[in-house]
Amino acid sequence: MSRRYRDAVAAVLLAEAALLAWNAWHYDWLRGYDAFANERYARVVSNEYRLPSAEESGVWHTPPLWFALAGALGRVTASLDLGDPQRPGQLLAAVAGLAVCVLVLLLARVLWPERHALHLVALVLTAASPALVRAAAMYHPETLAVALAGGGLLVAVRALRTRWTPWSAAATGGLLGLACLTRAWALPVLAAVLVVAAVDARRTRRWAPPAVSAAVAVALLAPWLANQQVAHGSALAFNRTAAPGSLLERRPASFYLGPRSLRALGHPITPLFRNELVPHLYADWWGDWALTWAGPPPPPPAGLLPSHVVAERARQSLVGLVPTVLALAGVLALGLLAIARRSAALAVLPLGAAAVAVAFLAFAVRYPSPDGDTIKGTYLLMALPAAAVGAAFVIDVLRPRGRPWTAVGVAALGAFVAAQLPFLVL
């Protein structure tokens, strides 16, 4: 491992740590997704040692791990008069966001140990992802769930490349089970890992690893799912009522076609193209559709926004075009490469990302929302490790070799980050 490579990794991680800490410290926690409901949930869990009712918190359907941690940290902060009791929850989200960056780097290193440029590109793409940076400043559980799931993915990929041990099987199930106890979006990742592990077990005739992983995950999840079934009538209960009819009838054609998709590049903010899947999702990932970041909170005065707010988010949307295409191509490339090489380790990331995407689409169709609340970019953060590694793989395969081209690549990556800094830094 060269010193230049180590220095570059350290520089990116230190810069990301400073960015996330600064944002978490300066971000108004009430602007985050479901902020008040999250605070009520954390208060009930930490003070009364029970789950909240539907009347007490609008996010009662969310698993309790992050709320228990954030609530306990907030209670200690309040008892010692150390400041805002919500701040530790935001800092916990920031630490988890940094952990996601580290885990993506390690995933790339496990899959391609000698391809240092690929590692660095995957790390930078993750660190500069607007959806991750924004979520890491909020009083919200999403980044912790992604970090725990990323840890489970890393252990599984390493074991599939080398050899399963009882400890790696238990760690995979434990980390993914804890991720599912933080956000339900980890369930598709857990399912994908167990499917790949089972296919690998069929080849190796070693069924113990997937069985142990599944048993540990189920042991962690079972009490929560049983409570939801008993208390709310469904193990996967949600705070909205599912729309009647078949899945194909629950959304109009405009939901899938997105007739105003191109407006996502010039005016990517609420309420334009609400409930049009592709532009709404793209704008929320890259352009802060719901106006949860810097700038005036919705609804803007007289329905108008300062021109610089619109221009900043429009620039973000334009910057996101290339990495989005690369990410989609990369996930597909990883899947095809896994099939060609019959590599279970390579298959974990694309299959997990595909499972998350299918779950997201089914969720968005099952629960139509007039305000577009069920189409959030953060719902797809579970797919970020696969997207970042896949995009980095495509870039590494296509980039010309040689020192001059390396300098060009570094400059392009630097320009990509520099273009986003005014938006990423509060």
Side-chain angles (χ1 to χ4, degrees):
M1 185 185 300
S2 69
R3 181 177 178 180
R4 185 178 299 175
Y5 170 72
R6 291 196 304 269
D7 290 347
V9 168
V12 174
L13 291 178
L14 285 172
E16 182 73 357
L19 170 68
L20 298 184
W22 172 272
N23 286 347
W25 197 262
H26 290 84
Y27 186 68
D28 179 0
W29 69 276
L30 281 169
R31 293 194 66 170
Y33 295 139
D34 304 313
F36 183 74
N38 289 342
E39 193 274 338
R40 289 291 301 156
Y41 194 140
R43 187 185 303 178
V44 169
V45 169
S46 62
N47 291 338
E48 303 179 32
Y49 306 104
R50 63 177 177 83
L51 295 171
S53 66
E55 291 73 28
E56 291 173 312
S57 174
V59 294
W60 53 265
H61 59 280
T62 305
L65 180 58
W66 180 87
F67 298 100
L69 295 173
L73 292 171
R75 188 174 61 181
V76 171
T77 300
S79 65
L80 298 177
D81 196 23
L82 295 177
D84 187 348
Q86 288 77 36
R87 189 74 68 208
Q90 292 178 269
L91 293 174
L92 175 61
V95 170
L98 182 63
V100 173
C101 297
V102 174
L103 290 164
V104 169
L105 171 69
L106 295 177
L107 279 166
R109 288 182 61 179
V110 167
L111 290 170
W112 295 281
E114 303 302 324
R115 298 169 76 164
H116 292 174
L118 189 156
H119 308 163
L120 288 168
V121 171
L123 174 60
V124 171
L125 291 178
T126 305
S129 173
L132 178 68
V133 171
R134 282 187 280 121
M138 295 180 183
Y139 190 75
H140 198 277
E142 203 75 59
T143 55
L144 179 61
V146 179
L148 289 168
L153 285 171
L154 177 63
V155 176
V157 169
R158 188 184 295 275
L160 289 164
R161 275 187 62 85
T162 55
R163 183 178 177 86
W164 284 100
T165 66
W167 294 111
S168 62
T172 297
L175 287 166
L176 289 170
L178 291 174
C180 295
L181 273 179
T182 308
R183 288 290 277 171
W185 294 111
L187 285 168
V189 179
L190 171 62
V193 169
L194 293 179
V195 167
V196 173
V199 171
D200 183 66
R202 184 178 179 183
R203 177 183 61 84
T204 61
R205 304 297 180 186
R206 297 182 69 238
W207 291 97
V212 169
S213 296
V216 172
V218 169
L220 289 169
L221 273 173
W224 164 253
L225 296 178
N227 174 81
Q228 293 299 92
Q229 182 67 48
V230 172
H232 303 290
S234 170
L236 299 176
F238 187 54
N239 64 1
R240 296 177 187 269
T241 302
S246 68
L247 284 178
L248 295 178
E249 297 172 343
R250 291 173 180 172
R251 290 285 198 172
S254 61
F255 171 76
Y256 302 97
L257 298 176
R260 289 171 287 187
S261 293
L262 293 180
R263 294 297 304 277
L265 301 178
H267 201 85
I269 51 177
T270 182
L272 199 64
F273 44 78
R274 177 183 291 154
N275 281 324
E276 294 179 17
L277 181 62
V278 173
H280 189 154
L281 179 61
Y282 180 87
D284 194 54
W285 183 285
W286 287 103
D288 183 28
W289 182 86
L291 295 173
T292 59
W293 203 233
L304 299 175
L305 282 168
S307 59
H308 75 275
V309 173
V310 178
E312 188 175 60
R313 283 151 178 78
R315 182 176 65 248
Q316 275 294 114
S317 286
L318 289 171
V319 169
L321 278 175
V322 173
T324 298
V325 172
L326 289 172
L328 294 173
V331 172
L332 178 60
L334 290 181
L336 294 175
L337 188 64
I339 294 171
R341 295 184 178 178
R342 297 185 179 180
S343 170
L346 277 172
V348 170
L349 288 180
L351 186 61
V356 171
V358 170
F360 170 79
L361 179 61
F363 172 79
V365 172
R366 180 175 172 80
Y367 298 104
S369 173
D371 59 0
D373 185 61
T374 52
I375 307 175
K376 288 192 179 91
T378 51
Y379 287 168
L380 284 180
L381 272 178
M382 282 290 171
L384 179 59
V389 172
F393 172 75
V394 171
I395 291 172
D396 192 59
V397 168
L398 296 179
R399 70 181 179 92
R401 266 46 180 180
R403 186 168 296 180
W405 287 108
T406 299
V408 171
V410 171
L413 207 58
F416 167 72
V417 175
Q420 297 195 85
L421 280 180
F423 179 80
L424 297 179
V425 182
L426 274 177

